[in-house]
Amino acid sequence: MSHEKLYNSRIVAHYIRFFQHKFPAINLQDLLDVAGISATQVADRRHWFTRCQFEVFYQALQHASGLAQLAKEAGSFAASEEVFRVSHHLIDSSTSPLSALKALPRIAAGLTRGVRLKARQLAPNLVEITTVHEAHAAEAPYDCQFRLGLLEALTFLFNLDLAQVEHPDCLHHGRQQCRYLVRWQPSLAEKLQKLKARVVPLAVLLPGAAATMDPQWALFHVLPLTVGSTLLLDLVASHLNKKRLVRSIDHLRSTSEALVEQINHNYNNALLLNEIAETTSNKTCLEDLLDSVAQTLNKRLAFDRGMILLVDPARRILLFRAGFGYDPTIKALLQGTTVLLDEQPEPDLLRQTFTSRRGILVADVDNPPPGLPPASLQFFVRTGSQSLLCCPITCDGRANGLLVVDSLRSGRRLTQGDLRLTEGLANVIGASLNNAQLLTSCSRQFDSMLQVLAATIDARDPMTSGHSTRVTAYSQGICRELGLSTEYTEMVRVAALLHDYGKIAVPDAILKKAGTLTPEEREIVRTHALHSEQILQEIGFDGIYRGVPALAGAHHEKMDGSGYPRGLHHGDIPIGAKIIAVADFFEAVTAQRHYRGPMPPAIAYKALQEESLCRLDPRVVEAFLDYYQKAFPDQFRAMTLGDAQPERASIRIPCRTPVVCEINGNTLIGTSSDVSLRGIFVASQAQVRQGLELKLAFFLPDKPTHILETGGRVVWLNQGRTPRKISFPVGFGVEFTNLPRRVLQHLAQFTQSCAPLTHH
């Protein structure tokens, strides 16, 4: 017996319906089990059975029924329009019995692959059907008998009058092929059409002949009779033709709806595969990829729930990684559950699918397939599953996980078609997961290479160890604050890691020199930016990393054109280079160097503010301070609090402007004498005490519309008989506290724009 798949599930389904109609007491499930046929396979119209399966099934049916002509009776049972609805869809709304019989080869092609049929018209009401057998598929007698029954069903289906089906030649009686002749009598509509064709000439000639004998009798008797007969025949024939046309339109509508449904099904499946491919193509993070796949499956597939399990690196357990449709409680339970693979207890659905790399369909969880114990389905039974399927996620012949979907008891049962679709999806997911893992591995290796390159520079001088890493962290923080894209931030990250790689060309004697560099040595150090760009260009960065050499080479350019190596101005410097410049400046001034110690945070803060006036981009500096405040709140507070600032000479600028002081809810108005980055002197006759906390509001002469507000503390008094400074009017000196960054920027711009007058 052949193991080739020759019989479509619709033939088996037809036999089952015939048996259910004729022998309702017989348990068909036992007969199906004998042949290894499941109910879901029968329900799937795209499933095909082997000759071995079908022959075992047919013999079991014949033994149970005792019918010698079982196949012919089953074929005759197909005369029921409800039972053999497939004929209507395949006949494509045939308008005549002749066209219906000519469509029979298409019907047979959808039912069996072992034989092809040819239809030939021998006469107006005679059609010959012959068989062409495939060399690899031997015919069985029941195949011939079923065709006989099918032909009889078609003659009955199309109401062929006095139809006869003859079988003069049979393959099983020594002939080369099976040959069938189908004869039938013309239909009433056809007979009336023929009669009308004969009556019309008589209707024309008879009144003329009668008029030669008796014109009056011909006019009032013969002419009305012939015309009436002709009209009556035409009316009846038209009515019959109209009924046939209505029936054809109904067939066409039914066929069209079925085709549209199939087209929609195929279209949705194509959309699903395309959407999963698009979703996974741009995902490099495994978790993001799995979540996207789960969301796409939930949106596109008619499954109630689904989950993706992946094997751990040691390939010993399966872990839940993503899912859809599950109650949060159940999902939390799944996330903490593992499936052991290295133990060999009784068969288990998940373990068996993973190890065999073959999908398993459980059409009914209450009646699992043979070899699968009900205990392995307890989780699905308790959570309301009706049917489920489990497919391996494979790539290159290796299982990497499982895709499990199910339908609840209120939904439909899953079929073999669902299993095939899910297996195809699992293969796509497997390839996508493999690509994501390869990209992750390549990214990890790429990062390792970058770290090694950066470490080679830091290793030359232990004092600068970690400089590149810190500059990179600062640069990424600035990118986030500026809202730059992920791709650009990644390019800045790589450029920041390698921005000093050109120092490999600077001699150690200069790079580690403890004293002040000579002008010649300074020029040699400055070449490192250009060397970085040139060396990185040799690496061949591409894609989102294409701009890395340019960013690394421009990180010492300044807004006012005083930078190097090219002396670029504001608009010509890439934003990435401006970001690295700010990060590099702050890290350098706050770190230990051979020629100086680390700058105190408050001094570094002020230096950064001063640099932002003309050399560093103020917007980038603002973004850095926002990032630093979030990432290092304690250090940021130490930089900005007045009491944390060390004593340092500051430029005092003469400035006469109104100052409003709020003291314990009371308002005091004075006039300033001078102002600096540290504080302001307020000329006032009001009596205040030293150490008094107050709030200040004032404006600077260069921007009278910008009201500046800050906190302050009275630190010295110029009152009484012995004033502290005779040149100052009566009043008090206020030290700024909690100075907002915006106020500090205005003060720095104002003091920078004025020529320094006095120091103290």
Side-chain angles (χ1 to χ4, degrees), residues 44-55:
D44 184 4
R45 295 176 60 179
R46 295 174 296 174
H47 190 77
W48 292 79
F49 296 100
T50 64
R51 173 172 293 282
C52 176
Q53 284 180 294
F54 188 81
E55 185 156 333

Side-chain angles (χ1 to χ4, degrees), residues 349-360 390 392 394 399:
L349 172 67
L350 303 181
R351 187 183 302 107
Q352 185 173 329
T353 304
F354 185 85
T355 55
S356 66
R357 301 194 301 278
R358 296 180 60 185
I360 296 178
C390 184
T394 61

Side-chain angles (χ1 to χ4, degrees), residues 18-152:
F18 167 69
F19 242 70
Q20 289 173 338
H21 175 76
K22 196 165 183 76
F23 307 99
I26 296 180
N27 185 1
L28 282 171
Q29 186 60 49
D30 294 339
L31 304 182
L32 291 171
D33 291 342
V34 169
I37 297 175
S38 67
T40 54
Q41 292 173 332
V42 176
D44 184 4
R45 295 176 60 179
R46 295 174 296 174
H47 190 77
W48 292 79
F49 296 100
T50 64
R51 173 172 293 282
C52 176
Q53 284 180 294
F54 188 81
E55 185 156 333
V56 171
F57 174 65
Y58 181 81
Q59 291 175 354
L61 291 179
Q62 195 170 43
H63 181 267
S65 65
L67 295 176
Q69 298 292 325
L70 171 63
K72 186 174 182 180
E73 290 195 36
S76 298
F77 181 70
S80 167
E81 183 174 346
E82 178 182 358
V83 172
F84 205 63
R85 65 176 70 92
V86 66
S87 300
H88 296 275
H89 296 315
L90 293 176
I91 288 172
D92 283 340
S93 67
S94 301
T95 58
S96 68
L98 179 60
S99 57
L101 290 171
K102 287 184 176 180
L104 187 59
R106 280 187 294 153
I107 299 176
L111 299 177
T112 179
R113 295 169 175 169
V115 65
R116 292 183 291 110
L117 300 184
K118 289 185 177 181
R120 185 167 62 113
Q121 183 180 6
L122 301 181
N125 299 321
L126 176 62
V127 174
E128 177 190 57
I129 307 293
T130 57
T131 59
V132 178
H133 299 276
E134 302 294 343
H136 64 277
E139 271 265 303
Y142 51 74
D143 293 321
C144 179
Q145 293 297 317
F146 186 84
R147 280 193 295 272
L148 274 175
L150 178 62
L151 290 172
E152 292 177 358

Side-chain angles (χ1 to χ4, degrees), residues 37 120 186 219 329 385 409 450 491 504 516 618 647 650 667:
I37 297 175
R120 185 167 62 113
L219 179 63
T329 304
S385 293
R409 297 191 180 276
L450 295 178
M491 180 177 66
I504 197 171
T516 303
E647 289 295 329
S650 61
T667 301

Side-chain angles (χ1 to χ4, degrees), residues 277-298:
E278 288 184 354
T279 299
T280 57
S281 63
N282 59 355
K283 301 291 185 184
T284 56
C285 174
L286 188 61
E287 298 301 328
D288 292 344
L289 185 147
L290 292 173
D291 288 340
S292 298
V293 168
Q295 293 173 10
T296 304
L297 294 178
N298 186 29

Side-chain angles (χ1 to χ4, degrees), residues 357-432:
R357 301 194 301 278
R358 296 180 60 185
I360 296 178
L361 170 64
V362 181
D364 184 359
V365 295
D366 297 325
N367 186 23
L372 195 63
S376 67
L377 303 174
Q378 284 304 305
F379 168 79
F380 299 99
V381 173
R382 293 175 181 175
T383 55
S385 293
Q386 178 186 29
S387 60
L388 64 101
L389 54 88
C390 184
C391 296
I393 298 175
T394 61
C395 185
D396 297 331
R398 188 183 190 189
N400 297 315
L402 297 176
L403 173 61
V404 185
V405 297
D406 65 348
S407 65
L408 302 181
R409 297 191 180 276
S410 58
R412 65 180 180 89
R413 288 196 176 188
L414 304 182
T415 66
Q416 286 287 332
D418 295 316
L419 178 60
R420 280 196 295 271
L421 173 62
T422 309
E423 285 177 332
L425 294 175
N427 290 334
V428 174
I429 295 171
S432 300

Side-chain angles (χ1 to χ4, degrees), residues 131-284:
T131 59
V132 178
H133 299 276
E134 302 294 343
H136 64 277
E139 271 265 303
Y142 51 74
D143 293 321
C144 179
Q145 293 297 317
F146 186 84
R147 280 193 295 272
L148 274 175
L150 178 62
L151 290 172
E152 292 177 358
L154 286 176
T155 60
F156 184 86
L157 182 66
F158 285 91
N159 299 314
L160 302 184
D161 297 331
L162 302 176
Q164 296 180 356
V165 180
E166 302 175 6
H167 188 23
D169 298 328
C170 182
L171 178 69
H172 306 288
H173 293 116
R175 301 292 185 178
Q176 295 296 320
Q177 62 182 3
C178 285
R179 179 168 171 264
Y180 309 89
L181 297 175
V182 182
R183 307 174 189 270
W184 69 93
Q185 295 297 323
S187 65
L188 179 58
E190 293 175 328
K191 292 177 180 179
L192 289 177
Q193 288 289 353
K194 291 180 180 179
L195 180 60
K196 176 184 172 182
R198 296 174 181 176
V199 168
V200 170
L202 291 177
V204 175
L205 297 175
L206 189 59
T212 60
M213 295 182 291
D214 187 347
Q216 188 174 6
W217 185 79
L219 179 63
F220 292 102
H221 294 85
V222 177
L223 182 60
L225 179 63
T226 54
V227 172
S229 300
T230 303
L231 291 176
L232 180 61
L233 287 174
D234 184 66
L235 181 63
V236 174
S238 298
H239 176 71
L240 294 176
N241 285 331
K242 186 180 294 185
K243 288 180 62 177
R244 186 178 64 182
L245 182 60
V246 169
R247 187 168 60 249
S248 299
I249 291 174
D250 290 339
H251 290 165
L252 179 61
R253 182 183 300 110
S254 176
T255 302
S256 300
E257 290 174 353
L259 289 175
V260 168
E261 182 180 355
Q262 186 63 38
I263 290 173
N264 286 335
H265 178 74
N266 294 338
Y267 177 70
N268 287 332
N269 289 346
L271 280 181
L272 173 63
L273 291 172
N274 183 65
E275 187 168 343
I276 288 181
E278 288 184 354
T279 299
T280 57
S281 63
N282 59 355
K283 301 291 185 184
T284 56

